[in-house]
Amino acid sequence: MLIALLPGDGIGPEVIAEARRVLETLALPDMRFEEAPVGGAAYKASGHPLPQATLNLAKRADAILFGAVGDPDCDTLERHLRPEQAILGLRKELELFANLRPATLFPELADASALRPEVASQIDMVIVRELNGDVYFGEKGMRKTADGKREGYDIMSYNEDEVRRIARVGFETAMARGKKLCSVDKANVLETSQLWRDVVIETAKEFPKVALSHMYVDNAAMQLVRNPGQFDVIVTGNLFGDILSDQASMCAGSIGMLPSASLDASQKGLYEPIHGSAPDIAGQGKANPLATILSAAMMLRYSLGQAEAADRIEAAVAAALAAGARTPDLGGSLRTREMGDAVLAALT
Ligand code: NAD
């Protein structure tokens, strides 16, 4: 099993180091690691945020564990050279079209949620977000209007095949959980969303056991805060999913707690914490590594067929939290490395 480690920028290397220690402690047979630069680190080393050698490693590997990209030094570069292009490039090149973001509240962290503990404690959902289409990948640019004003534009589109394949992932995820799927769109205003809704309804015929509902994105944003316990699986497009999954994360506690998986059609995947490179705390040992450690657990479960090892990591994280381990984002004072130590102690 070859695991590509792509630490990236900011706190990426700090949190990946802890996840690697956890994986090494499991001592699974045949597990190998290769590391490569990505994002701003790669741009500074070789002039491109996603060098060919890094892409080749990602293609060769059985799974990819990714830290985060984003570096304020690179904010003025042309867009195609910015660190964030690396993650978009990996998603596109590896056809990682399905992003799975579980949002579950560890009971010990009910106080860390932005919601009242009795509301937060109901959160147990997966957000399935489409990753390869939508307004992020449509034609975009800057132009002048007839009266000489600057105008930016980004075209939103989905074709029916793109919607059908992510809808199927949504239904399959629901089948493995509570059999409830909520499709989020803006079909009252957007043609793209109307097609989305039509195709989701067609796809529902393949999954008669799943109860399907639809919700407009503005209402979904409200319901996530008002009554998050109503959601089992949410399926939505790239733009809406980007926003709603961050919102769900704050409902479930710190952004430093939540893992994610981005899968291709064969379940090969890239696993990463949902947070970014956090330049404000990079290099200070304040980053919470648990989202990355839990991403490693998802990697073992979804791409590497090691469900038991995944269970062990998740149980160790729960045990560390139950024993009081807290980084500053969770209201404590442990350093990144010490949180890693707490998980390792629970693991062994
Ligand atoms: P961010 O997630 O990096 O940080 C938001 C806030 O959460 C910050 O206050 C940060 O300190 C805190 N935070 C994030 N992760 C944390 C952790 N593990 N432990 C403790 N606190 C944590 O989002 P941002 O500030 O909007 O973006 C910073 C950079 O990251 C930007 O360049 C952005 O483009 C990039 N970004 C990258 C990804 C990715 O690599 N997939 C995702 C989101 C943002």
Side-chain angles (χ1 to χ4, degrees):
M1 281 182 292
L2 174 60
I3 296 174
L5 295 175
L6 309 184
D9 304 320
I11 62 170
E14 301 167 47
V15 292
I16 286 284
E18 298 314 310
R20 180 178 187 154
R21 287 207 296 151
V22 168
L23 287 169
E24 285 175 343
T25 302
L26 289 172
L28 296 171
D30 298 332
M31 186 173 283
R32 294 184 298 125
F33 301 94
E34 271 185 52
E35 207 169 302
V38 71
Y43 174 79
K44 285 173 179 168
S46 64
H48 198 280
L50 182 56
Q52 192 60 46
T54 301
L55 182 58
N56 290 347
L57 169 61
K59 286 184 173 167
R60 262 190 301 124
D62 297 294
I64 303 149
L65 191 59
F66 186 95
V69 288
D71 179 343
D73 291 351
C74 300
D75 281 353
T76 51
L77 292 173
E78 281 177 62
R79 191 163 295 282
H80 73 283
L81 293 176
R82 291 200 198 160
E84 292 78 2
Q85 294 304 311
I87 187 71
L88 297 178
L90 281 165
R91 287 171 185 166
K92 201 77 190 169
E93 287 282 338
L94 301 177
E95 291 190 59
L96 305 172
F97 70 93
N99 186 221
L100 270 59
R101 290 191 179 192
T104 311
L105 189 84
F106 283 89
E108 296 81 9
L109 296 182
D111 289 343
S113 169
L115 304 180
R116 288 197 310 280
E118 66 271 23
V119 178
S121 60
Q122 304 164 10
I123 298 175
D124 181 7
M125 74 181 92
V126 176
I127 298 191
V128 178
R129 165 189 169 198
E130 202 286 331
L131 275 188
N132 278 183
D134 207 346
V135 69
Y136 294 174
F137 290 97
E139 190 193 325
K140 58 179 76 244
M142 291 281 186
R143 60 191 170 201
K144 284 268 166 71
T145 60
D147 58 353
K149 297 248 169 27
R150 286 173 300 159
E151 183 176 72
Y153 64 95
D154 304 86
I155 296 188
M156 174 182 269
S157 71
Y158 268 123
N159 69 44
E160 60 179 303
D161 291 345
E162 291 171 321
V163 179
R164 198 169 291 112
R165 70 177 181 173
I166 193 70
R168 285 197 179 118
V169 176
F171 281 108
E172 281 158 8
T173 308
M175 280 299 288
R177 293 178 40 101
K179 300 191 173 56
K180 275 170 62 185
L181 180 66
C182 178
S183 170
V184 171
D185 62 36
K186 189 74 183 166
N188 48 346
V189 183
L190 300 173
E191 284 300 309
T192 312
S193 279
Q194 188 57 56
L195 176 83
W196 176 281
R197 189 173 284 216
D198 294 346
V199 174
V200 170
I201 290 170
E202 288 159 27
T203 310
K205 296 189 186 111
E206 299 169 28
F207 300 91
K209 292 194 176 136
V210 175
L212 173 66
S213 61
H214 303 273
M215 201 177 272
Y216 297 136
V217 62
D218 41 346
N219 186 24
M222 189 173 73
Q223 296 297 334
L224 269 176
V225 178
R226 197 183 71 87
N227 178 16
Q230 71 186 284
F231 296 111
D232 176 25
V233 179
I234 289 176
V235 65
T236 189
N238 205 346
L239 174 64
F240 301 153
D242 193 359
I243 299 164
L244 292 181
S245 54
D246 271 16
Q247 188 188 346
S249 74
M250 273 323 286
C251 298
S254 164
I255 195 165
M257 287 301 303
L258 293 178
S260 77
S262 303
L263 304 174
D264 73 4
S266 70
Q267 293 275 111
K268 174 169 169 174
L270 180 150
Y271 297 82
E272 58 174 329
I274 72 156
H275 60 72
S277 57
D280 54 334
I281 57 166
Q284 300 174 28
K286 288 184 182 164
N288 180 350
L290 293 183
T292 312
I293 291 171
L294 292 168
S295 299
M298 281 186 92
M299 175 178 79
L300 292 169
R301 174 170 290 115
Y302 285 93
S303 289
L304 301 178
Q306 299 281 348
E308 205 178 308
D311 289 345
R312 280 186 64 200
I313 293 179
E314 287 162 358
V317 167
L321 290 170
R326 302 278 189 281
T327 38
D329 56 304
L330 302 176
S333 59
L334 284 193
R335 300 179 62 76
T336 309
R337 178 90 182 177
E338 291 168 330
M339 184 57 117
D341 289 342
V343 176
L344 288 183
L347 198 61
T348 50

